[in-house]
Amino acid sequence: MTQKPASPRTRKSPEQVRAAVHQAIIDLLCDPEGEDLNIPAIAQRAGVNHTSVYRRWGSLDALLADMVTTRLERDSPLNDTGTLRGDLLAWAEASVANIRTREGRALVRAVVLSMPHSAQAQAGRAQQFQRRMRSIEQIRERATARGENPPPLEQILDQLVAPFYIRAIFGIDPPADGYPELLVDRLLGSGGEGGTG
Amino acid sequence: MTQKPASPRTRKSPEQVRAAVHQAIIDLLCDPEGEDLNIPAIAQRAGVNHTSVYRRWGSLDALLADMVTTRLERDSPLNDTGTLRGDLLAWAEASVANIRTREGRALVRAVVLSMPHSAQAQAGRAQQFQRRMRSIEQIRERATARGENPPPLEQILDQLVAPFYIRAIFGIDPPADGYPELLVDRLLGSGGEGGTG
């Protein structure tokens, strides 16, 4: 009981540090106080030394990218529903459910914040884009293997992915009912709504 | 020549400070070095004292919001083309031209970065959304006054506005030709493309 511990602090394993740092980012993005997101604030919230955060991740961009990649891969199992429409609908339903939660919206905003912002960082942004679109590419590949004719990736980006990002960014709730179906119908060409021009 | 100036520095007027600070943000967002965007870095680049930046704008969010509002209002004169389709096309053409420039992409990323990120800041995000969508609302109002039936605001958000944001965020160039027409056709219901489901 009175035995002196080897270290004055409880040591965290590297994986515990990583999990604590990732969670601290989400917590800060959800915090009512709206503190600026930076490495010292994240390290303090996670209860770790900020120098070890700098040593491990190097920059806030890299840390955010690691966090969103880890979370999005954990959160998006890709079931094969048997049809292109079913797979797209499942993707859209998961995305609607995601942006209805505080943590889900924070995660989308973190994706945006993690974009390397300098002009020369285009290669980094393109790589992030490839990662973010991997699940959509898998849906397209399965459709092609089935003999279906999926829309081009950029069309899916514009019509299915973009609406979720802009709603998370501006905090605009998706319609209460039928939103996944609406977006998929528009994308696959069976949507007939629209005003007169 | 040897006369002592009233002040050791050349004094900038408040409007000159504002213009210099706004330009410094754009320059930093375009900088190949990719320096973190924060008030001390912005003030240094603008050649002004960072305490006066804090005093005037209070926070980075507020400063970014002021900059994007000023730039977007300067950059988007709204011509009445006489039809809903014409007005939407003009809006889309201006947006395509905008995100083809380095400064234009930086400005869209600044809009995203300026979003208040805390969970309780929803009111701030909604206000930013209203500002960003004002030109779209004007297009809708003119259409209604002409007896046209414009699509709901949220549909224009999803189908016309969202694609520009996501492309600026991820650095995905719009198609070389016909992109404004493509988006407007999809929105107004005359687009027939799309894969088979």
Side-chain angles (χ1 to χ4, degrees), chain A residues 159 186 191-197, chain B residues 83-89 139-140 143 148-152 155-156 159-160 180-192:
Chain A
Q159 295 192 271
R186 281 179 188 159
E193 95 283 53
T196 59
Chain B
T83 65
L84 171 63
R85 171 176 294 273
D87 283 3
L88 292 171
L89 208 49
I139 289 173
R140 292 187 71 249
E148 295 179 296
N149 177 26
Q155 190 182 343
I156 301 179
Q159 294 192 270
L160 191 65
E181 292 80 1
L182 177 70
L183 292 180
V184 172
D185 284 349
R186 281 180 188 159
L187 173 65
L188 296 180
S190 56

Side-chain angles (χ1 to χ4, degrees), chain A residues 118-170:
Chain A
S118 77
Q120 303 299 316
Q122 175 55 34
R125 281 195 293 277
Q127 191 182 39
Q128 275 284 22
F129 174 69
Q130 298 297 334
R131 279 202 197 125
R132 296 286 78 72
M133 296 299 276
R134 198 173 288 157
S135 58
I136 299 287
E137 278 291 19
Q138 287 174 357
I139 289 174
R140 292 187 71 251
E141 283 161 15
R142 282 205 299 249
T144 303
R146 282 185 209 110
E148 294 178 297
N149 177 27
L153 185 64
E154 286 203 20
Q155 190 183 343
I156 301 179
L157 175 75
D158 284 346
Q159 295 192 271
L160 191 65
V161 181
F164 290 108
Y165 274 82
I166 199 148
R167 284 172 182 274
I169 290 165
F170 286 111

Side-chain angles (χ1 to χ4, degrees), chain A residues 23-86:
Chain A
Q23 188 59 44
I25 296 169
I26 292 288
D27 291 347
L28 277 171
L29 286 171
C30 292
D31 190 322
E33 300 300 317
E35 198 179 346
D36 275 356
L37 196 69
N38 53 51
I39 286 182
I42 293 165
Q44 188 179 23
R45 188 110 180 187
V48 302
N49 198 309
H50 68 90
T51 56
S52 65
V53 174
Y54 281 111
R55 200 165 50 234
R56 180 157 178 179
W57 282 280
S59 73
L60 181 60
D61 284 358
L63 170 56
L64 286 170
D66 179 48
M67 187 277 284
V68 297
T69 301
T70 307
R71 291 278 169 135
L72 290 173
E73 280 169 6
R74 188 189 72 182
D75 292 349
S76 42
L78 271 171
N79 295 320
D80 185 344
T81 66
T83 65
L84 171 62
R85 171 175 294 273

